[in-house]
Amino acid sequence: MVMIQDKRFVSGRIKSIGFAVKGAFKLVTTEHSVMVQFSIMLLMIFAGFYFHISIEEWMLQTLAFGLVLGIEGLNTAVEKIADFIHPEFHDRIGFIKDIAAGAVLFAASSALTVGALIYVPKLFNL
């Protein structure tokens, strides 16, 4: 099957958005780590409404969600490509996958810090 690229600006962008939505749906419905992170995101959105967080806190929280889910998506893509190229275990492929997972850890740690800075004072009335 040959894909013909749509060179028209508007229809090309609409198709690109469609592919992105399809990819996001695949991530959320097939990848367990993304399912967990997406569930945490929904919980934190609920918490944001419950605690009436400020617009600045919403911005930070939203950036944290985007960072974690975006990096997790890239990590998944790296893993899928690595497995496709070299399905058997290989030290160098393992090294590449570990680095991608490390990037997720950095993003998740940052998001956890943002969440703690927003919600710990509210939970403990500090």
Side-chain angles (χ1 to χ4, degrees), residues 49-116:
F49 285 114
Y50 180 81
F51 287 108
H52 304 286
I53 64 175
S54 70
I55 190 71
E56 293 84 5
E57 291 168 329
W58 275 113
M59 287 188 289
L60 290 171
Q61 180 169 281
T62 302
L63 285 170
F65 299 153
L67 176 69
V68 172
L69 291 170
I71 298 294
E72 185 62 59
L74 292 174
N75 176 52
T76 299
V78 165
E79 288 181 354
K80 300 289 185 195
I81 290 170
D83 290 343
F84 178 77
I85 291 171
H86 206 293
E88 313 82 49
F89 176 80
H90 191 280
D91 286 336
R92 288 158 101 188
I93 294 292
F95 181 78
I96 292 166
K97 290 168 114 179
D98 287 349
I99 289 172
V104 174
L105 179 64
F106 287 140
S109 298
S110 296
L112 183 63
T113 302
V114 168

Coordinates of all heavy atoms in Angstrom, one line a residue, residues 49-116:
F49 N -10.4 20.5 40.2 CA -11.7 21.1 40.4 C -12.1 21.1 41.9 O -12.7 22.1 42.4 CB -12.7 20.4 39.5 CG -12.6 20.8 38.1 CD1 -12.2 19.8 37.1 CD2 -12.8 22.1 37.6 CE1 -12.1 20.2 35.8 CE2 -12.7 22.4 36.3 CZ -12.4 21.5 35.4
Y50 N -11.9 20.0 42.5 CA -12.3 19.8 43.9 C -11.6 20.9 44.8 O -12.2 21.5 45.7 CB -11.9 18.4 44.4 CG -12.3 18.2 45.8 CD1 -13.7 17.9 46.2 CD2 -11.4 18.3 46.9 CE1 -14.0 17.7 47.5 CE2 -11.8 18.1 48.2 CZ -13.1 17.8 48.5 OH -13.5 17.6 49.8
F51 N -10.3 21.1 44.6 CA -9.5 22.0 45.4 C -9.5 23.4 44.9 O -8.8 24.3 45.5 CB -8.1 21.5 45.6 CG -8.0 20.3 46.6 CD1 -7.7 19.1 46.0 CD2 -8.2 20.5 47.9 CE1 -7.6 18.0 46.9 CE2 -8.1 19.4 48.8 CZ -7.8 18.1 48.3
H52 N -10.2 23.7 43.8 CA -10.2 25.0 43.2 C -8.8 25.6 43.0 O -8.5 26.7 43.5 CB -11.1 26.0 44.0 CG -12.4 25.5 44.2 ND1 -13.4 25.5 43.2 CD2 -13.0 24.9 45.3 CE1 -14.5 25.0 43.7 NE2 -14.3 24.6 45.0
I53 N -8.0 24.9 42.3 CA -6.6 25.3 42.1 C -6.6 26.6 41.2 O -7.5 26.8 40.4 CB -5.7 24.2 41.6 CG1 -6.1 23.7 40.2 CG2 -5.6 23.1 42.6 CD1 -5.1 22.7 39.6
S54 N -5.5 27.3 41.3 CA -5.4 28.6 40.6 C -5.1 28.3 39.1 O -4.7 27.2 38.7 CB -4.3 29.5 41.2 OG -3.0 28.9 40.9
I55 N -5.2 29.4 38.3 CA -4.9 29.2 36.9 C -3.4 28.9 36.7 O -3.1 28.1 35.8 CB -5.3 30.5 36.1 CG1 -5.2 30.3 34.6 CG2 -4.4 31.7 36.5 CD1 -6.3 29.4 34.0
E56 N -2.6 29.4 37.5 CA -1.1 29.1 37.4 C -0.9 27.6 37.8 O -0.1 26.9 37.1 CB -0.3 29.9 38.3 CG -0.2 31.4 37.9 CD -1.4 32.2 38.5 OE1 -2.3 31.7 39.2 OE2 -1.6 33.4 38.1
E57 N -1.6 27.1 38.8 CA -1.5 25.7 39.1 C -2.1 24.8 38.0 O -1.5 23.7 37.7 CB -2.2 25.4 40.5 CG -1.5 26.0 41.6 CD -2.3 26.1 42.9 OE1 -3.6 26.1 42.9 OE2 -1.7 26.0 44.0
W58 N -3.2 25.2 37.4 CA -3.7 24.5 36.2 C -2.7 24.4 35.1 O -2.5 23.4 34.5 CB -5.0 25.1 35.7 CG -6.2 24.7 36.4 CD1 -7.0 25.4 37.2 CD2 -6.8 23.3 36.4 NE1 -8.1 24.7 37.7 CE2 -8.0 23.4 37.3 CE3 -6.5 22.1 35.8 CZ2 -8.8 22.3 37.5 CZ3 -7.3 21.0 36.0 CH2 -8.4 21.1 36.8
M59 N -2.0 25.5 34.9 CA -1.0 25.6 33.8 C 0.1 24.6 34.1 O 0.5 23.8 33.2 CB -0.5 27.0 33.6 CG -1.5 27.9 32.9 SD -0.8 29.5 32.4 CE -0.6 30.3 34.0
L60 N 0.6 24.6 35.3 CA 1.7 23.7 35.6 C 1.3 22.3 35.6 O 2.0 21.4 35.1 CB 2.2 24.1 37.0 CG 3.0 25.4 37.1 CD1 3.3 25.8 38.6 CD2 4.3 25.3 36.4
Q61 N 0.1 22.0 36.1 CA -0.4 20.6 36.1 C -0.6 20.1 34.7 O -0.2 19.0 34.3 CB -1.7 20.6 36.9 CG -2.4 19.3 37.0 CD -3.6 19.3 37.9 OE1 -3.3 19.2 39.1 NE2 -4.8 19.3 37.4
T62 N -1.2 21.0 33.8 CA -1.4 20.6 32.4 C 0.0 20.4 31.7 O 0.1 19.4 30.9 CB -2.2 21.7 31.7 OG1 -3.4 21.9 32.4 CG2 -2.5 21.3 30.2
L63 N 0.9 21.2 31.9 CA 2.3 21.0 31.3 C 2.9 19.7 31.8 O 3.5 19.0 31.1 CB 3.2 22.2 31.6 CG 2.9 23.5 30.8 CD1 3.7 24.6 31.4 CD2 3.2 23.2 29.4
A64 N 2.7 19.4 33.1 CA 3.2 18.2 33.7 C 2.6 16.9 33.0 O 3.3 16.0 32.6 CB 3.0 18.1 35.2
F65 N 1.3 17.0 32.8 CA 0.6 15.9 32.1 C 1.1 15.7 30.7 O 1.4 14.6 30.3 CB -0.9 16.1 32.0 CG -1.7 16.3 33.2 CD1 -2.8 17.1 33.2 CD2 -1.3 15.7 34.4 CE1 -3.6 17.2 34.4 CE2 -2.0 15.9 35.6 CZ -3.2 16.6 35.5
G66 N 1.2 16.8 30.0 CA 1.7 16.7 28.6 C 3.1 16.2 28.5 O 3.4 15.4 27.6
L67 N 3.9 16.6 29.5 CA 5.3 16.2 29.5 C 5.4 14.7 29.7 O 6.0 14.0 28.9 CB 6.1 16.9 30.6 CG 7.5 16.5 30.8 CD1 8.4 16.9 29.6 CD2 8.1 17.1 32.1
V68 N 4.7 14.2 30.7 CA 4.8 12.8 31.0 C 4.2 11.9 29.9 O 4.8 11.0 29.4 CB 4.1 12.4 32.3 CG1 4.0 10.9 32.5 CG2 4.8 13.1 33.5
L69 N 3.0 12.3 29.4 CA 2.4 11.5 28.4 C 3.1 11.6 27.0 O 3.2 10.6 26.3 CB 0.9 11.9 28.2 CG 0.0 11.5 29.4 CD1 -1.4 12.1 29.3 CD2 -0.1 10.0 29.5
G70 N 3.6 12.7 26.7 CA 4.4 12.9 25.5 C 5.7 12.1 25.5 O 6.0 11.4 24.6
I71 N 6.4 12.2 26.6 CA 7.7 11.4 26.7 C 7.4 9.9 26.8 O 8.1 9.1 26.2 CB 8.5 11.8 28.0 CG1 8.9 13.3 27.9 CG2 9.7 10.9 28.2 CD1 9.9 13.6 26.8
E72 N 6.3 9.5 27.4 CA 5.9 8.1 27.5 C 5.6 7.6 26.0 O 5.9 6.5 25.7 CB 4.7 7.9 28.4 CG 4.4 6.4 28.6 CD 5.4 5.6 29.2 OE1 5.9 5.9 30.3 OE2 5.9 4.6 28.5
G73 N 4.9 8.5 25.3 CA 4.6 8.1 23.9 C 5.9 7.9 23.1 O 6.0 7.0 22.3
L74 N 6.9 8.8 23.2 CA 8.2 8.7 22.5 C 8.9 7.4 23.0 O 9.5 6.7 22.2 CB 9.0 9.9 22.8 CG 8.5 11.2 22.1 CD1 9.4 12.4 22.5 CD2 8.5 11.0 20.6
N75 N 8.8 7.1 24.3 CA 9.5 5.9 24.9 C 8.8 4.7 24.2 O 9.5 3.7 23.8 CB 9.3 5.9 26.4 CG 9.8 4.6 27.0 OD1 11.0 4.2 26.8 ND2 9.0 3.9 27.8
T76 N 7.5 4.7 24.1 CA 6.8 3.5 23.5 C 7.3 3.4 22.0 O 7.5 2.3 21.6 CB 5.3 3.7 23.6 OG1 4.9 3.8 25.0 CG2 4.6 2.6 22.9
A77 N 7.4 4.5 21.3 CA 7.8 4.4 19.9 C 9.2 3.9 19.8 O 9.5 3.0 18.9 CB 7.7 5.8 19.3
V78 N 10.1 4.3 20.7 CA 11.5 3.8 20.7 C 11.5 2.3 20.9 O 12.2 1.5 20.2 CB 12.4 4.5 21.7 CG1 13.7 3.8 22.0 CG2 12.6 6.0 21.3
E79 N 10.7 1.9 21.9 CA 10.7 0.4 22.2 C 10.1 -0.4 21.1 O 10.7 -1.4 20.7 CB 9.8 0.2 23.5 CG 10.4 0.7 24.7 CD 9.6 0.4 26.0 OE1 8.4 0.0 25.8 OE2 10.1 0.6 27.1
K80 N 9.1 0.1 20.4 CA 8.5 -0.6 19.3 C 9.4 -0.7 18.1 O 9.6 -1.7 17.5 CB 7.2 0.1 18.8 CG 6.1 0.1 19.9 CD 5.5 -1.2 20.2 CE 4.3 -1.1 21.2 NZ 3.9 -2.3 21.8
I81 N 10.1 0.4 17.8 CA 11.1 0.4 16.7 C 12.2 -0.5 17.1 O 12.7 -1.3 16.2 CB 11.6 1.8 16.5 CG1 10.5 2.7 15.8 CG2 12.8 1.8 15.5 CD1 10.8 4.1 15.7
A82 N 12.7 -0.5 18.3 CA 13.9 -1.3 18.7 C 13.5 -2.8 18.6 O 14.3 -3.6 18.1 CB 14.3 -1.0 20.1
D83 N 12.3 -3.1 19.1 CA 11.8 -4.5 19.0 C 11.6 -5.0 17.5 O 11.8 -6.1 17.2 CB 10.5 -4.7 19.8 CG 10.7 -4.6 21.3 OD1 11.8 -4.7 21.7 OD2 9.7 -4.4 22.0
F84 N 11.2 -4.1 16.7 CA 11.0 -4.4 15.3 C 12.3 -4.7 14.6 O 12.5 -5.6 13.8 CB 10.3 -3.3 14.6 CG 10.1 -3.5 13.1 CD1 9.1 -4.4 12.6 CD2 10.9 -2.8 12.2 CE1 8.9 -4.6 11.3 CE2 10.7 -3.0 10.8 CZ 9.7 -3.9 10.4
I85 N 13.3 -3.8 14.9 CA 14.6 -3.9 14.3 C 15.4 -5.2 14.8 O 16.0 -5.9 14.0 CB 15.5 -2.7 14.5 CG1 14.9 -1.5 13.8 CG2 16.9 -2.9 14.2 CD1 15.5 -0.2 14.1
H86 N 15.3 -5.4 16.1 CA 16.1 -6.5 16.7 C 15.2 -7.2 17.8 O 15.3 -6.9 19.0 CB 17.3 -5.9 17.4 CG 18.4 -6.9 17.5 ND1 18.4 -8.0 18.3 CD2 19.6 -7.0 16.8 CE1 19.5 -8.7 18.1 NE2 20.2 -8.1 17.3
P87 N 14.3 -8.1 17.3 CA 13.3 -8.8 18.2 C 14.0 -9.5 19.4 O 13.4 -9.6 20.5 CB 12.6 -9.7 17.4 CG 12.8 -9.3 16.0 CD 14.1 -8.6 16.0
E88 N 15.1 -10.1 19.2 CA 15.8 -10.9 20.3 C 16.5 -9.9 21.2 O 16.8 -8.7 20.9 CB 16.9 -11.8 19.8 CG 16.5 -12.7 18.6 CD 16.6 -12.0 17.3 OE1 17.6 -11.4 17.0 OE2 15.6 -12.1 16.5
F89 N 16.8 -10.3 22.4 CA 17.5 -9.5 23.4 C 18.9 -9.2 22.8 O 19.6 -10.0 22.3 CB 17.7 -10.2 24.7 CG 18.5 -9.4 25.7 CD1 17.9 -8.3 26.4 CD2 19.8 -9.6 25.9 CE1 18.6 -7.5 27.2 CE2 20.6 -8.8 26.8 CZ 20.0 -7.8 27.4
H90 N 19.2 -7.9 23.0 CA 20.6 -7.4 22.6 C 21.0 -6.3 23.6 O 20.2 -5.4 23.9 CB 20.6 -6.9 21.2 CG 21.9 -6.7 20.6 ND1 22.6 -5.6 20.9 CD2 22.7 -7.4 19.8 CE1 23.8 -5.6 20.3 NE2 23.8 -6.7 19.6
D91 N 22.2 -6.4 24.0 CA 22.7 -5.4 25.0 C 22.5 -3.9 24.5 O 22.1 -3.1 25.3 CB 24.1 -5.6 25.4 CG 24.3 -6.8 26.3 OD1 23.4 -7.2 27.0 OD2 25.5 -7.4 26.2
R92 N 22.8 -3.7 23.3 CA 22.7 -2.3 22.8 C 21.3 -1.8 22.7 O 21.0 -0.7 22.9 CB 23.5 -2.2 21.5 CG 25.0 -2.2 21.7 CD 25.7 -2.7 20.4 NE 26.3 -1.5 19.7 CZ 26.8 -1.7 18.5 NH1 26.8 -2.8 17.9 NH2 27.4 -0.6 17.9
I93 N 20.4 -2.7 22.3 CA 19.0 -2.4 22.2 C 18.5 -2.1 23.6 O 17.7 -1.2 23.9 CB 18.2 -3.5 21.5 CG1 18.6 -3.6 20.0 CG2 16.7 -3.3 21.7 CD1 18.2 -2.4 19.2
G94 N 18.9 -3.0 24.6 CA 18.5 -2.8 26.0 C 19.0 -1.5 26.5 O 18.3 -0.8 27.2
F95 N 20.2 -1.1 26.1 CA 20.8 0.2 26.5 C 19.9 1.4 26.0 O 19.5 2.3 26.7 CB 22.2 0.4 26.0 CG 22.9 1.6 26.4 CD1 23.4 1.8 27.6 CD2 23.0 2.7 25.5 CE1 24.1 3.0 28.0 CE2 23.7 3.8 25.8 CZ 24.2 4.0 27.1
I96 N 19.5 1.3 24.7 CA 18.7 2.3 24.1 C 17.3 2.4 24.8 O 16.8 3.5 25.1 CB 18.5 2.0 22.6 CG1 19.8 2.2 21.9 CG2 17.4 2.9 22.0 CD1 19.8 1.7 20.5
K97 N 16.7 1.3 25.1 CA 15.4 1.2 25.8 C 15.5 1.8 27.2 O 14.6 2.5 27.7 CB 14.9 -0.2 25.8 CG 14.4 -0.7 24.4 CD 14.2 -2.2 24.4 CE 12.8 -2.5 24.1 NZ 12.5 -3.9 24.1
D98 N 16.6 1.5 27.9 CA 16.8 2.0 29.2 C 16.9 3.5 29.2 O 16.4 4.2 30.1 CB 18.1 1.4 29.9 CG 17.9 -0.1 30.2 OD1 16.7 -0.6 30.2 OD2 18.9 -0.7 30.5
I99 N 17.6 4.1 28.2 CA 17.7 5.5 28.1 C 16.3 6.1 27.9 O 16.0 7.1 28.6 CB 18.7 5.9 27.0 CG1 20.1 5.6 27.4 CG2 18.6 7.4 26.7 CD1 21.1 5.7 26.3
A100 N 15.5 5.6 27.0 CA 14.2 6.1 26.8 C 13.3 6.0 28.1 O 12.6 6.9 28.4 CB 13.5 5.3 25.6
A101 N 13.5 4.9 28.8 CA 12.7 4.7 30.0 C 13.2 5.8 31.1 O 12.4 6.3 31.9 CB 12.8 3.3 30.6
G102 N 14.5 6.0 31.1 CA 15.0 7.0 32.0 C 14.4 8.4 31.7 O 14.2 9.2 32.7
A103 N 14.2 8.7 30.4 CA 13.6 10.0 30.1 C 12.2 10.1 30.7 O 11.8 11.1 31.2 CB 13.5 10.2 28.6
V104 N 11.5 9.0 30.7 CA 10.1 8.9 31.3 C 10.2 9.2 32.8 O 9.4 9.9 33.4 CB 9.4 7.6 31.0 CG1 8.1 7.5 31.8 CG2 9.2 7.4 29.5
L105 N 11.2 8.6 33.4 CA 11.4 8.7 34.9 C 11.7 10.2 35.2 O 11.1 10.7 36.2 CB 12.6 7.9 35.3 CG 12.9 8.0 36.8 CD1 11.8 7.5 37.7 CD2 14.2 7.2 37.1
F106 N 12.5 10.9 34.4 CA 12.7 12.3 34.6 C 11.4 13.1 34.5 O 11.1 14.0 35.4 CB 13.7 12.9 33.6 CG 15.2 12.5 33.9 CD1 16.0 12.2 32.8 CD2 15.7 12.5 35.1 CE1 17.3 11.8 33.0 CE2 17.0 12.1 35.4 CZ 17.8 11.8 34.3
A107 N 10.6 12.8 33.5 CA 9.4 13.6 33.3 C 8.4 13.3 34.4 O 7.8 14.2 35.0 CB 8.8 13.2 32.0
A108 N 8.3 12.0 34.8 CA 7.4 11.6 35.9 C 7.8 12.2 37.2 O 6.9 12.6 38.0 CB 7.3 10.1 36.0
S109 N 9.1 12.2 37.5 CA 9.6 12.8 38.7 C 9.2 14.3 38.8 O 8.8 14.8 39.8 CB 11.1 12.6 38.9 OG 11.4 11.3 38.9
S110 N 9.4 15.0 37.7 CA 9.0 16.4 37.6 C 7.5 16.6 37.8 O 7.1 17.5 38.6 CB 9.4 17.0 36.3 OG 10.8 16.9 36.1
A111 N 6.7 15.7 37.2 CA 5.3 15.8 37.4 C 4.9 15.6 38.8 O 4.0 16.2 39.4 CB 4.6 14.9 36.4
L112 N 5.5 14.6 39.4 CA 5.2 14.3 40.8 C 5.6 15.4 41.7 O 4.8 15.8 42.7 CB 6.0 13.0 41.3 CG 5.8 12.5 42.7 CD1 4.3 12.1 42.9 CD2 6.7 11.4 43.0
T113 N 6.6 16.1 41.4 CA 7.0 17.3 42.2 C 6.0 18.4 42.1 O 5.6 19.0 43.0 CB 8.4 17.8 41.8 OG1 9.4 16.7 42.0 CG2 8.9 19.0 42.6
V114 N 5.6 18.6 40.8 CA 4.5 19.6 40.6 C 3.3 19.3 41.3 O 2.7 20.2 42.0 CB 4.2 19.8 39.0 CG1 3.0 20.6 38.8 CG2 5.4 20.4 38.3
G115 N 2.8 18.0 41.3 CA 1.7 17.6 42.0 C 1.8 17.8 43.5 O 0.9 18.2 44.2
A116 N 2.9 17.5 44.0 CA 3.2 17.6 45.5 C 3.1 19.1 45.9 O 2.5 19.4 46.9 CB 4.5 17.0 45.9

